[in-house]
Amino acid sequence: MTDTRNRSPEYRMASGLFQGMRRELLDDVFAYRLLAPMRTDGPVTRRLPRFVRDYVAWFPHALVAGAALIVMSVGYTEGKPVTGIVPAAVILLTLVRPVGAFWLSLATAPFVSIMSGYWDGWPWAPTSFMGQLTVMTVVAARTRPRTAAWMWALTGAFGFFCELVLSRGSGGTTWPLLVVSAFVLLSVTVFHTRRAAKEEVTAQQTVTAQERSRRTLLEERTTIARELHDVVAHHMSVVAIQAEAAPYRVENPPPELEQAFVTIRENAVAALTELRRILGVVRAEDYEAPDAPQPTLNDLDALIANVRDAGLTVDATITGAARELPQGVELSAYRIVQEALSNVLRHAPGASAKVEVSYVLGGLGLRVVNGPSRGLVKPSPGAGHGITGMRERVAMLDGEMTAETTDDGGYEVAAFIPAQRQEAS
């Protein structure tokens, strides 16, 4: 490869232009590139029946074949079929070898004019004029936008060369071809560029949505880890304190019992230290552990009263024999109900809600359902963070959850969290 670093700027620019043309129109001229079927997931085509979409996918191929048929019929109309067959064959070639078809269209244009005896528009007979325009349009649609500019420039250079050097003195139709093809290729290029930009924006939006979802998931897991840290740390501290105080509750305890309690306390303190060391990484520098105990299902009445004060009509129902559940289950259940009611306030202003808590054998059932928005206040847009957090909490406890719209336009969140009866301390 020639080193152009020491060349003049004009030479480097010309070299760059030639290299660009070579990549677009000279490398692998007859490379096999079959035109793929059209996508049928657009806003219009996806509404069509399935069997219709299967045929619509081949619509671009039908357009190219139709253009070839028209060109061939023009040749037959003039009484010289070969002048229509050759351009039509070149048009069909764009379906499999687009760049090669462009060069063949240029090369066969003088031949078609000679065969038809058409000298007034040399070198573009009516069939070759239509064929060249069609070929450039198809190739521009199948390649990059810069290819259209190169094809237009080469077509003009070839046409003017034939008119000035090989002409018999008659006028040519290169200028009309260039004018018409400029409008057509410009339209194709704009469409091409717009589609590429739309695909890029869609790809960026997809990546952004995935990153947002991942960030939301990590944030929610961090929140859950903080809360569980506080819950487990509290219980381990209680174990350590009770193990230390237990020997003093027994008169003259045997040494083995004292040693057992000492071992329990040491293990509890070591576990607590390790827990704080491992889970401490999820705490932000400005995070402070709450002074009050973590909420449980016993605090639901206060939560419901709070949202009622905010203007939400809530009916609460508790079924089954209420019992004490593991603190992690109680905390997660409380947070799920809290988030579900918050979503009703944000996304369904004016709607009423119903909360059902069911103590069943082997677990806890939760259901929060609301009707459609009935207020004059516009609902706030949501990013799905609340639903993601609820799913994480339920999944952490090996439960199941559904969140979906109801038939009347409302929304329902239902979850089941497996839990055994909390043993008394």
Side-chain angles (χ1 to χ4, degrees):
M1 184 175 179
T2 305
D3 188 3
T4 61
R5 288 176 296 180
N6 297 326
R7 303 283 187 172
S8 64
E10 293 80 6
Y11 179 88
R12 290 198 299 268
M13 182 178 67
S15 177
L17 291 175
F18 176 77
Q19 293 295 334
M21 184 190 70
R22 190 184 71 176
R23 286 193 301 268
E24 302 297 332
L25 294 174
L26 295 179
D27 292 344
D28 296 329
V29 172
F30 288 97
Y32 181 79
R33 294 177 54 197
L34 179 64
L35 178 61
M38 184 181 71
R39 296 178 58 179
T40 57
D41 56 353
V44 177
T45 54
R46 66 186 176 192
R47 301 176 183 272
L48 300 174
R50 179 61 181 273
F51 73 94
V52 176
R53 280 185 290 165
D54 293 340
Y55 290 104
V56 171
W58 299 99
F59 181 69
H61 303 73
L63 280 180
V64 175
L69 184 62
I70 293 174
V71 171
M72 188 167 59
S73 65
V74 171
Y76 274 92
T77 302
E78 294 179 348
K80 297 180 179 179
V82 68
T83 62
I85 293 176
V86 173
V90 176
I91 292 175
L92 293 177
L93 187 62
T94 60
L95 297 175
V96 290
R97 305 185 190 277
V99 177
F102 167 73
W103 289 110
L104 283 179
S105 180
L106 285 181
T108 57
F111 169 75
V112 172
S113 292
I114 294 173
M115 293 297 295
S116 62
Y118 187 79
W119 300 104
D120 293 337
W122 171 266
W124 310 105
T127 53
S128 58
F129 186 101
M130 298 172 58
Q132 180 68 12
L133 182 61
T134 304
V135 167
M136 286 196 296
T137 303
V138 176
V139 175
R142 298 198 58 193
T143 55
R144 290 183 289 187
R146 67 179 68 177
T147 307
W150 281 117
M151 288 191 300
W152 186 84
L154 289 172
T155 299
F158 175 80
F160 289 132
F161 172 80
C162 291
E163 290 182 12
L164 297 176
V165 178
L166 305 178
S167 175
R168 294 187 176 182
S170 302
T173 55
T174 299
W175 271 117
L177 176 60
L178 291 179
V179 172
V180 175
S181 61
F183 283 105
V184 174
L185 294 179
L186 181 61
S187 301
V188 173
T189 302
V190 170
F191 175 79
H192 212 307
T193 305
R194 182 177 179 274
R195 183 178 62 181
K198 184 178 180 180
E199 291 177 352
E200 183 177 356
V201 170
T202 302
Q204 290 295 331
Q205 289 176 343
T206 302
V207 172
T208 302
Q210 292 176 347
E211 290 296 329
R212 185 186 299 114
S213 177
R214 188 180 295 110
R215 185 173 62 251
T216 300
L217 191 63
L218 292 176
E219 290 175 354
E220 190 59 36
R221 287 180 177 178
T222 300
T223 302
I224 295 173
R226 289 172 177 172
E227 293 179 347
L228 287 179
H229 175 275
D230 298 334
V231 171
V232 177
H234 168 73
H235 285 292
M236 294 301 294
S237 299
V238 171
V239 170
I241 294 173
Q242 289 180 342
E244 184 177 11
Y248 299 101
R249 297 184 179 181
V250 180
E251 186 176 355
N252 299 322
E256 295 82 2
L257 182 60
E258 291 184 355
Q259 184 60 40
F261 281 119
V262 169
T263 302
I264 292 173
R265 181 182 182 281
E266 290 176 351
N267 289 334
V269 172
L272 184 60
T273 302
E274 189 68 14
L275 176 68
R276 287 172 176 169
R277 184 183 67 81
I278 295 175
L279 296 184
V281 297
V282 302
R283 292 186 183 275
E285 294 182 358
D286 57 349
Y287 175 78
E288 296 181 0
D291 297 331
Q294 295 287 359
T296 64
L297 291 175
N298 292 330
D299 301 306
L300 275 183
D301 292 339
L303 172 64
I304 292 174
N306 188 29
V307 294
R308 283 173 178 166
D309 292 340
L312 179 63
T313 302
V314 184
D315 292 331
T317 304
I318 299 178
T319 59
R323 63 182 187 274
E324 185 177 357
L325 299 173
Q327 190 166 355
V329 175
E330 297 251 353
L331 172 61
S332 295
Y334 178 90
R335 295 300 189 200
I336 290 172
V337 175
Q338 182 184 43
E339 183 62 36
L341 292 177
S342 298
N343 286 343
V344 177
L345 286 171
R346 287 194 298 266
H347 309 314
S352 59
K354 185 177 181 180
V355 178
E356 297 178 2
V357 180
S358 304
Y359 290 88
V360 297
L361 183 63
L364 178 71
L366 299 173
R367 181 172 178 266
V368 181
V369 60
N370 63 271
S373 174
R374 300 184 183 280
L376 298 177
V377 180
K378 185 178 180 180
S380 302
H385 294 187
I387 298 296
T388 300
M390 287 188 279
R391 291 190 188 279
E392 278 292 301
R393 292 181 182 275
V394 174
M396 177 190 64
L397 299 172
D398 296 327
E400 298 179 356
M401 173 183 157
T402 59
E404 55 190 6
T405 56
T406 58
D407 294 337
D408 62 351
Y411 205 79
E412 179 185 51
V413 175
F416 175 77
I417 303 175
Q420 301 298 325
R421 182 183 300 273
Q422 179 73 14
E423 300 293 340
S425 304

